Amino acid sequence: VREGGVVHHTRPKMDKSITSLSQDKKDEPQKEEEEEESEDEDSEEEEEPKLKYERISGDLREILKKDGASCIAANSKLIIIGTNWGRIHVLDHLGNKVKDPVRSVALDPAYFKPRSGRRFVVGTNKVILYEKALFGQLRPTVLSENSGPARAMKWAGQFLAWATDSGVRVMDMNTKAVITLIKRDHSLALPCEQYPPHLCWPDDRTLIVGWGDSVKVCRVRDRASNPSQLSTGPVDLPPHYLEIVYMFTTDFYVCGVGPLDEHLVVLAYNKQTDLSLASLGVDSRRPQMRVLEPLQGTFEEISKDVLGIRCYQEYKPANYHLECLVEERQFYIVCPQDVVVAKPRSADDRIEWLLEHDKHAEALEVVQTSREVHRYTLLSVGRVYLDHLIACSSFQDAAKLCTQILGSDKALWEEAVVRFNRARQLRVLSPHLPLGHGINLDPAVYQMVLLDLLQTDHQGFLQVVQDWPGHLYNVSFVINAVLETLARNTNNMTLLQALAHLYSNIDKHDKALAIYLKLKHKDVFHLIGRHNLYGCVAKHVVELMSLDISSTLDICCQHVNIVPPDTVVFALSSHQYFLYRYLDALYEHRRELSKKFHSQLVTLYADLDKKKLLPFLLESSSYDLRGALDDCQARCLTVETINLLNRMGSSMQSLELILEEQHDLQWAIRLCKEHDDVDLWGRLINYALDRPEYVRELLNNIGTHIDPLLIINQIPKGMEIPGLRDALVKILHDYHLQIELRTGCQRILVSDSSNLLHKLISTQNAAFPVYGDTECAACNKRVLTSGRGDMAGLTVFACRHVYHNDCMPEDPEEQDVCLVCRNDKKRLFLML
């Protein structure tokens, strides 16, 4: 019998008892008719009947008392009766209901394909495979017997799994060989009728077994072939084996299993059903859908849902079944009085649950990140979240949320402003209002926010005035409001700063600059730079330097055309430190413009920054030497004085200061070498003669600058000079080296002169080409003609002038000199 593509097949034993068709003895009229017929038959020859008739009774009698038979189907084993009420009854040939029903059926996954054999497996006390044979008949094949009733059966790909009381067997349907037996290892005290096994194939190679209080996740593996077995003969091992990947025991009874992505879905029934909890609204007899993450030896529970099944109080674990559609990720929970489908919650479902449980932030995140949301939008969820925050007085979070959910909707923004204004929280919303980037609110809205801040939060008012562009609102209106407030509090620095910014928005920069200077606020430099107010810097340079000297110097040095140095120097003439800082920066960045102020800078360096004075004196040549010398002498700056005297030509005074005040012999020797003056050397030698260590230093450093005898002859007799011998040896070595250098240089000069002379002679004796356009230096005619006649002789001088022989002077003495070059020399001589 085929129902919905699933084949149910039973093999009941036939009862040999037969109920004969009999007549009721009390039916007298019928009896008389039979006697009359028998008399007639006696007169005729009795024929043998072809058919015999029996009334089917058994359980069918009770069935037909309540319902009427409408159709029938029969085979060699069974009779199937259909009734008027749409019921189907499976009976044996005696009319009794079948007492050994089909426990499990599995259909070949390829059953729908042509030529697949239309295979299916039926599990009773045996496991029988049915295949399509000739003439539409079915050919049975016993796959397993004597192992008990097949209580569950699942077929996926080429593998069939069925469970008996001893365990779960997996068979390769291509080879009809059982590849493994997973023994039943949960509590053996649990009867299989009450706690049946449950099987599920998430894919063709993965098997989930749930039985009693244990769960196993198994995987079919390919067995690797071992070449070493070939020599020992064939080994009867199937090509596949089953590996238990996860195995754990639960604290509940398993009523069904299925996969959900990488997790397991288990239909669970509590082991202990405590009725005392029912009064508290908790009934442990309710079935549960649990999502588990399988681990080795244990599991982690991801979620648990208690199901509201009808009549759950009357059911046991055997009354529940779970069927799953792996591809659709759907699960069907079946019990006698109810069928429930479980599906993964959609993004809309999750948002709905989050909103119901006041998890608005998470709901908003789901809307933003998920592409599967259909019933909700960012605005719909966001407005619910916004209402919740305002109701909870979380105005800071609500204001931040407005930017995210209201977008560029002008009406929604203005509605939000009204709501925050009612709550007196406009100062919280003000930093988040749109400022013209794709959306502009009405100017009255911005003015309402500014006036509210002006009354409640002056610092917030200042921040908003600085952040908001002036075109968003009526600046003049806001200025008047600020002036009215300042009239009551004239020393409010915050409002003065805001007023300065407002003035700058309407191009009244002079008023803004005056306020900033009064406040001594550094925003004045931002105002100057933003509105190009550099022309006012010289006028207020002292105030600006008092406020921020570095920023002022940057402006003065970068905009010298607008801020002339003469004007700045005049303005700072009575502020020595500011003048020093300005001239020092001008010298560093605009040196060519600072030359006229170098004499002033010498005095300022001498007074305020002496370490910069000497480098400046050595580098610059634009200051007054006499004035600089007076400044240095007046301040006892000896080193600077020595350099100035040396630069002025007073080298002897410089040497005296070096020897008498600085006592620096090396500096004195450098000074004498620099000028190479005999008088300086004489003064230095006289100074050193009574100091043996100075004499040695002179002998070691004079080299070839002066005659060493000038020192040696003046050394007092009997003076002990440490290192004198080494000094004399060094002098002799230096002279010997100098002689060698001069000799080598002389050889090189002689050789170079000789080579150059030979090169000159060779060049002058070289042939000189005469071209057709070359003209005679005397007659200015071409020296070469195109005719073939005899050509006149030519004379070519080393100066490259060419003459016809006929044009040369007749005087033999004049024929050896070029006339042109000789005339040029005469003219030059006359000019001199």
Side-chain angles (χ1 to χ4, degrees):
V1 179
R2 304 172 186 268
E3 294 180 357
V6 180
V7 177
H8 299 274
H9 190 86
T10 60
R11 292 177 178 263
K13 296 181 180 179
M14 297 297 296
D15 192 350
K16 293 183 180 181
S17 62
I18 299 175
T19 302
S20 300
L21 179 62
S22 61
Q23 298 293 332
D24 191 351
K25 294 181 179 181
K26 296 182 180 179
D27 194 356
E28 294 297 336
Q30 185 176 2
K31 195 173 190 180
E32 293 177 354
E33 291 177 2
E34 289 179 355
E35 290 178 352
E36 292 178 356
E37 290 178 359
S38 61
E39 292 178 354
D40 293 338
E41 289 177 357
D42 291 340
S43 61
E44 296 180 3
E45 183 178 359
E46 185 176 0
E47 294 181 1
E48 182 179 359
K50 299 298 183 182
L51 299 174
K52 70 174 182 178
Y53 299 91
E54 297 176 353
R55 177 174 283 116
I56 300 175
S57 58
D59 295 330
L60 181 60
R61 178 180 299 175
E62 299 297 325
I63 293 173
L64 297 180
K65 285 181 179 180
K66 301 177 182 179
D67 200 353
S70 61
C71 59
I72 187 171
N75 62 11
S76 60
K77 301 292 184 180
L78 302 173
I79 297 174
I80 301 176
I81 299 294
T83 68
N84 294 332
W85 291 98
R87 294 186 176 90
I88 296 176
H89 301 276
V90 181
L91 310 172
D92 59 15
H93 286 187
L94 299 180
N96 298 314
K97 291 184 178 180
V98 176
K99 302 300 182 181
D100 185 25
V102 175
R103 296 182 179 273
S104 56
V105 175
L107 200 65
D108 185 355
Y111 186 88
F112 65 95
K113 295 182 180 179
R115 301 179 182 179
S116 64
R118 306 292 185 180
R119 301 188 301 172
F120 62 92
V121 178
V122 175
T124 57
N125 289 331
K126 300 178 182 180
V127 177
I128 304 174
L129 170 67
Y130 289 90
E131 299 177 274
K132 185 177 180 182
L134 296 176
F135 308 111
Q137 297 181 354
L138 295 175
R139 182 176 67 250
T141 303
V142 178
L143 301 179
S144 176
E145 57 183 344
N146 301 325
S147 58
R151 301 187 181 276
M153 185 178 294
K154 290 291 183 179
W155 192 344
Q158 70 183 78
F159 301 103
L160 172 69
W162 70 88
T164 63
D165 293 350
S166 59
V168 178
R169 289 173 173 81
V170 179
M171 174 177 284
D172 186 347
M173 296 303 290
N174 292 341
T175 62
K176 307 296 190 303
V178 176
I179 64 175
T180 190
L181 168 62
I182 306 174
K183 292 185 179 181
R184 175 185 173 191
D185 58 356
H186 60 275
S187 178
L188 298 179
L190 298 177
C192 295
E193 291 79 5
Q194 298 180 15
Y195 304 94
H198 302 277
L199 307 176
C200 178
W201 289 92
D203 54 58
D204 293 348
R205 291 287 182 121
T206 305
L207 174 64
I208 305 175
V209 179
W211 200 344
D213 56 358
S214 71
V215 177
K216 297 182 180 67
V217 180
C218 310
R219 199 151 294 156
V220 178
R221 306 289 191 189
D222 296 330
R223 192 184 302 278
S225 59
N226 188 358
S228 63
Q229 296 176 353
L230 298 178
S231 61
T232 60
V235 179
D236 190 14
L237 292 177
H240 305 92
Y241 67 95
L242 200 72
E243 177 188 4
I244 299 178
V245 182
Y246 300 108
M247 179 174 62
F248 53 86
T249 302
T250 63
D251 56 352
F252 50 82
Y253 295 124
V254 178
C255 301
V257 291
L260 181 62
D261 301 329
E262 69 277 8
H263 300 139
L264 296 180
V265 173
V266 179
L267 180 59
Y269 188 90
N270 287 327
K271 286 185 176 181
Q272 296 180 353
T273 55
D274 191 352
L275 299 180
S276 63
L277 297 177
S279 60
L280 301 177
V282 179
D283 197 333
S284 57
R285 293 175 295 176
R286 288 183 180 272
Q288 304 162 1
M289 283 288 280
R290 302 196 185 195
V291 179
L292 310 179
E293 181 180 354
L295 303 173
Q296 197 55 259
T298 184
F299 64 91
E300 181 178 349
E301 186 171 271
I302 306 300
S303 67
K304 180 177 71 173
D305 297 325
V306 178
L307 304 180
I309 298 295
R310 295 180 186 146
C311 303
Y312 65 90
Q313 301 91 338
E314 303 173 4
Y315 301 147
K316 296 296 182 181
N319 299 120
Y320 293 103
H321 302 278
L322 179 69
E323 183 65 24
C324 62
L325 295 179
V326 178
E327 296 80 5
E328 303 296 331
R329 303 173 74 218
Q330 294 184 3
F331 305 89
Y332 293 89
I333 300 102
V334 181
C335 64
Q337 297 295 322
D338 211 350
V339 177
V340 178
V341 61
K343 305 175 183 178
R345 293 176 62 83
S346 66
D348 292 306
D349 296 331
R350 183 159 187 256
I351 292 173
E352 181 179 3
W353 185 90
L354 291 172
L355 292 178
E356 291 176 355
H357 292 79
D358 293 337
K359 297 181 181 295
H360 301 87
E362 297 180 25
L364 196 64
E365 183 180 358
V366 174
V367 171
Q368 292 176 311
T369 58
S370 177
R371 298 181 179 179
E372 300 176 357
V373 179
H374 304 291
R375 301 201 311 266
Y376 296 92
T377 64
L378 177 64
L379 180 59
S380 64
V381 176
R383 296 190 73 173
V384 174
Y385 191 12
L386 187 62
D387 294 340
H388 172 74
L389 292 175
I390 293 177
C392 297
S393 300
S394 300
F395 297 104
Q396 290 285 356
D397 296 333
K400 294 178 182 177
L401 185 64
C402 287
T403 304
Q404 184 178 358
I405 66 171
L406 302 184
S408 58
D409 194 316
K410 179 180 178 181
L412 292 178
W413 272 109
E414 293 179 351
E415 177 185 344
V417 171
V418 172
R419 295 184 66 180
F420 276 80
N421 185 37
R422 291 173 182 169
R424 306 297 296 171
Q425 294 294 329
L426 283 178
R427 59 183 180 82
V428 178
L429 182 63
S430 60
H432 306 282
L433 288 176
L435 303 179
H437 303 292
I439 173 177
N440 280 333
L441 306 181
D442 290 339
V445 174
Y446 296 107
Q447 291 169 193
M448 178 174 61
V449 175
L450 288 170
L451 292 179
D452 180 80
L453 292 173
L454 183 61
Q455 296 174 3
T456 60
D457 185 2
H458 291 171
Q459 191 62 42
F461 176 78
L462 172 61
Q463 187 65 43
V464 169
V465 165
Q466 292 175 338
D467 294 341
W468 287 4
H471 67 271
L472 296 178
Y473 55 92
N474 189 332
V475 179
S476 299
F477 172 80
V478 178
I479 288 176
N480 293 332
V482 175
L483 291 175
E484 291 178 3
T485 306
L486 282 173
R488 298 187 296 268
N489 186 4
T490 57
N491 294 324
N492 191 317
M493 299 302 176
T494 304
L495 292 183
L496 283 173
Q497 185 179 350
L499 183 61
H501 195 87
L502 290 170
Y503 276 132
S504 66
N505 284 344
I506 57 175
D507 296 332
K508 293 185 178 180
H509 306 303
D510 52 343
K511 291 185 177 180
L513 184 63
I515 294 175
Y516 278 126
L517 291 175
K518 178 182 178 182
L519 294 173
K520 296 183 179 181
H521 199 285
K522 293 185 178 181
D523 278 356
V524 65
F525 298 100
H526 179 68
L527 177 69
I528 292 172
R530 184 175 59 182
H531 299 289
N532 197 21
L533 304 178
Y534 302 111
C536 303
V537 172
K539 179 181 178 182
H540 302 284
V541 66
V542 176
E543 295 93 331
L544 292 173
M545 281 199 170
S546 301
L547 186 58
D548 189 340
I549 193 169
S550 298
S551 299
T552 307
L553 292 176
D554 290 340
I555 293 175
C556 293
C557 293
Q558 293 176 8
H559 303 278
V560 291
N561 295 330
I562 306 175
V563 189
D566 292 335
T567 306
V568 177
V569 170
F570 177 77
L572 297 176
S573 58
S574 59
H575 298 79
Q576 186 184 32
Y577 179 73
F578 290 162
L579 181 62
Y580 149 68
R581 290 294 301 273
Y582 171 70
L583 292 179
D584 179 60
L586 193 66
Y587 174 71
E588 182 178 354
H589 299 289
R590 294 297 183 91
R591 188 160 298 185
E592 70 282 356
L593 299 177
S594 67
K595 291 182 179 180
K596 64 171 66 176
F597 309 109
H598 281 193
S599 296
Q600 291 177 266
L601 195 53
V602 169
T603 304
L604 293 171
Y605 279 149
D607 291 336
L608 302 175
D609 200 350
K610 294 181 176 59
K611 66 178 183 298
K612 290 185 178 181
L613 177 58
L614 182 59
F616 177 75
L617 294 175
L618 297 177
E619 292 177 7
S620 175
S621 58
S622 301
Y623 56 87
D624 179 26
L625 291 174
R626 174 55 59 185
L629 180 61
D630 294 340
D631 289 337
C632 293
Q633 289 177 340
R635 294 165 177 80
C636 299
L637 302 176
T638 306
V639 176
E640 289 77 5
T641 301
I642 293 172
N643 283 277
L644 286 172
L645 288 172
N646 185 34
R647 190 167 184 176
M648 295 171 66
S650 301
S651 53
M652 185 60 72
Q653 294 181 12
S654 299
L655 181 61
E656 291 291 343
L657 289 174
I658 293 171
L659 295 176
E660 299 298 335
E661 296 189 17
Q662 296 299 116
H663 306 289
D664 191 340
L665 182 63
Q666 296 296 332
W667 190 1
I669 293 174
R670 289 196 302 272
L671 180 65
C672 293
K673 287 182 179 180
E674 178 184 349
H675 292 281
D676 198 15
D677 184 84
V678 177
D679 294 335
L680 292 176
W681 283 113
R683 174 67 184 92
L684 178 58
I685 292 171
N686 291 333
Y687 178 79
L689 284 178
D690 57 348
R691 297 174 175 83
E693 64 278 4
Y694 282 14
V695 174
R696 184 190 61 193
E697 288 295 327
L698 284 175
L699 292 176
N700 285 328
N701 289 281
I702 59 175
T704 57
H705 291 278
I706 61 172
D707 187 356
L709 293 177
L710 292 176
I711 302 175
I712 296 172
N713 291 335
Q714 297 184 50
I715 296 175
K717 293 182 179 181
M719 177 182 288
E720 294 184 2
I721 302 175
L724 178 61
R725 184 187 64 180
D726 296 337
L728 294 176
V729 170
K730 184 177 183 300
I731 290 173
L732 294 175
H733 182 269
D734 290 343
Y735 268 98
H736 178 70
L737 180 61
Q738 187 177 10
I739 292 172
E740 289 182 352
L741 289 174
R742 289 183 178 180
T743 303
C745 290
Q746 185 176 4
R747 293 196 193 97
I748 293 172
L749 289 174
V750 172
S751 176
D752 288 347
S753 299
S754 177
N755 292 335
L756 291 174
L757 179 61
H758 288 302
K759 185 176 180 180
L760 177 63
I761 294 173
S762 299
T763 302
Q764 292 180 345
N765 292 335
F768 176 70
V770 179
Y771 301 99
D773 58 349
T774 303
E775 296 179 350
C776 175
C779 66
N780 294 329
K781 296 181 179 180
R782 293 187 176 183
V783 296
L784 299 179
T785 61
S786 59
R788 295 185 178 181
D790 293 337
M791 186 180 295
L794 302 176
T795 300
V796 181
F797 289 94
C799 61
R800 302 302 190 257
H801 291 124
V802 182
Y803 295 87
H804 292 112
N805 288 342
D806 297 338
C807 297
M808 294 294 293
E810 295 180 357
D811 188 355
E813 294 182 357
E814 295 182 353
Q815 292 180 355
D816 296 335
V817 180
C818 175
L819 299 177
V820 176
C821 296
R822 183 181 64 180
N823 293 335
D824 290 341
K825 290 181 179 179
K826 286 182 178 180
R827 285 195 294 271
L828 180 61
F829 178 75
L830 292 175
M831 290 174 64
L832 295 175

